[in-house]
């Protein structure tokens, strides 16, 4: 009886925990074999599509997204210090502005090129091989990549540096790049307060879901749409094969 009471006491006793173990998902190491699917690994060779699988493509794009966002934040952290160094080295304000412009946008463009190449590879697979890149997998990665792509317009230090540049000292092409970056940053809400930015994100999510719902309805309507043609004379220039494929086989 005493043993049963002691056992019951132990079962009802609340055990305190001093810590938790968090298991993180494992990512495969970046090996030479894994890099065969990376379009940026060798610019003089085409990607080896035979080695590609859905899992490898998802992992590769996930790594590229993390690297892209991390390196953009690293650029933002370095901008104030590099701007001070350039200002101390260059006595001419115009030359200093050109150097700051090149430092910012050359670094960002280099990241964009590598990121866009990998992203384009996934889009190519989606249009050519639905088995390797199914739509439900692709759109999840695609939307995440678009979100990462807009990270460059949310860099506060970069935006402030661009505002301080004298656009009259830049070439026409550079002015266009600067103007586009400033505009996209403003549209992303970089000058809004925290509350206003939260409201903007909420509206953006709502619009995205509305757009997605509209697209689903449109796709369903297009699949269900049909228009019987009783007189083939209204299609005098249609190829015979097209008319044959359009026939009602039901």
């Amino acid at each position: 009886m005493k043993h049963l009471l002691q056992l019951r006491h132990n079962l009802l006793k609340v055990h305190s925990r001093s810590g938790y173990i968090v298991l993180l998902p494992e990512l495969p190491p970046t090996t030479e074999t894994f890099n065969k699917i990376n379009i940026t690994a060798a610019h003089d060779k085409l990607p080896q599509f035979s080695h590609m699988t859905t899992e490898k493509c998802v992992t590769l794009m996930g790594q590229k997204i993390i690297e892209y966002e991390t390196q953009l934040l690293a650029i933002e952290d370095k901008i104030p210090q590099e701007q001070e160094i350039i200002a101390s080295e260059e006595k001419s304000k115009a030359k200093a502005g050109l150097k700051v412009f090149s430092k910012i946008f050359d670094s960002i463009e280099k990241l964009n090129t590598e990121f866009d190449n990998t992203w384009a590879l996934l889009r190519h697979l989606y249009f050519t091989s639905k088995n390797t890149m199914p739509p439900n997998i692709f759109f999840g990665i695609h939307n995440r990549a678009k979100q990462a792509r807009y990270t460059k317009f949310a860099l506060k230090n970069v935006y402030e540096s661009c505002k301080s540049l004298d656009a009259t000292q830049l070439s026409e092409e550079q002015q266009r790049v600067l103007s586009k970056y400033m505009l996209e940053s403003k549209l992303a809400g970089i000058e809004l307060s925290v509350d206003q930015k939260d409201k903007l994100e909420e509206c953006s999510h709502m619009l995205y879901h509305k757009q997605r719902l509209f697209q689903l309805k449109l796709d369903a309507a297009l699949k269900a749409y049909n228009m019987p043609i009783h007189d083939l004379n209204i299609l005098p220039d249609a190829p015979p094969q097209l008319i044959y494929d359009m026939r009602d086989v039901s």
Side-chain angles (χ1 to χ4, degrees):
M1 185 67 179
K2 182 179 180 181
H3 178 70
L4 291 175
L5 291 174
Q6 185 178 5
L7 178 61
R8 182 182 178 186
H9 178 267
N10 291 334
L11 291 174
L12 296 176
K13 184 179 179 180
V14 178
H15 298 278
S16 61
R17 295 181 179 179
S18 57
Y20 296 89
I21 298 176
V22 179
L23 298 178
L24 299 176
E26 294 185 5
L27 292 176
T30 305
T31 60
E32 184 179 354
T33 304
F34 184 76
N35 278 335
K36 286 182 178 179
I37 67 170
N38 190 351
I39 195 172
T40 61
H43 294 285
D44 58 335
K45 296 180 181 179
L46 292 174
Q48 298 187 17
F49 292 98
S50 59
H51 291 80
M52 294 183 183
T53 63
T54 304
E55 182 181 358
K56 287 182 178 180
C57 291
V58 171
T59 303
L60 173 65
M61 195 62 203
Q63 288 180 342
K64 288 298 179 185
I65 289 173
I66 294 174
E67 290 174 4
Y68 180 76
E69 292 178 332
T70 303
Q71 291 173 2
L72 279 177
L73 294 176
I75 291 174
E76 183 187 26
D77 292 339
K78 293 179 181 178
I79 285 298
Q81 182 180 1
E82 291 180 348
Q83 197 170 8
E84 291 179 1
I85 294 174
I86 292 173
S88 62
E89 292 177 350
E90 290 289 345
K91 295 181 180 180
S92 172
K93 189 176 180 180
K95 290 183 178 180
L98 288 173
K99 277 194 173 183
V100 171
F101 178 90
S102 299
K103 199 72 176 179
I104 293 173
F105 290 102
D106 288 353
S107 302
I108 293 178
E109 188 60 31
K110 184 178 179 181
L111 293 179
N112 287 344
T113 301
E114 185 175 345
F115 182 78
D116 289 346
N117 284 341
T118 307
W119 192 5
L121 173 63
L122 265 65
R123 290 198 297 268
H124 174 75
L125 283 174
Y126 168 70
F127 288 114
T128 58
S129 178
K130 292 292 194 297
N131 293 330
T132 305
M133 187 52 59
N136 59 325
I137 300 294
F138 170 76
F139 282 109
I141 304 174
H142 182 68
N143 292 331
R144 179 66 182 89
K146 285 199 297 185
Q147 182 182 358
R149 195 71 161 74
Y150 275 93
T151 304
K152 66 178 182 179
F153 299 120
L155 305 177
K156 191 70 175 179
N157 290 339
V158 175
Y159 179 74
E160 293 298 333
S161 297
C162 291
K163 283 178 66 176
S164 64
L165 294 177
D166 185 3
T168 59
Q169 303 296 330
L170 303 176
S171 65
E172 183 180 353
E173 292 79 7
Q174 291 173 331
Q175 288 180 14
R176 290 179 182 176
V177 172
L178 182 63
S179 177
K180 176 178 170 55
Y181 183 85
M182 298 286 288
L183 176 61
E184 292 290 349
S185 296
K186 288 180 181 179
L187 292 175
I190 199 167
E191 292 187 345
L192 298 178
S193 63
V194 176
D195 293 338
Q196 290 174 329
K197 189 173 290 186
D198 290 341
K199 189 174 182 180
L200 176 63
E201 290 180 359
E202 183 181 350
C203 292
S204 298
H205 286 305
M206 182 187 67
L207 288 174
Y208 169 76
H209 289 301
K210 294 285 186 182
Q211 182 183 14
R212 184 65 180 156
L213 180 61
F214 175 81
Q215 187 63 47
L216 291 174
K217 290 182 178 180
L218 179 62
D219 292 341
L222 289 175
K223 289 180 180 179
Y225 175 79
N226 66 80
M227 185 181 70
I229 299 175
H230 302 288
D231 185 8
L232 293 181
N233 292 325
I234 65 175
L235 301 173
D237 299 324
Q241 184 62 41
L242 176 61
I243 296 177
Y244 179 80
D245 293 338
M246 291 170 60
R247 74 193 191 284
D248 186 6
V249 294
S250 58

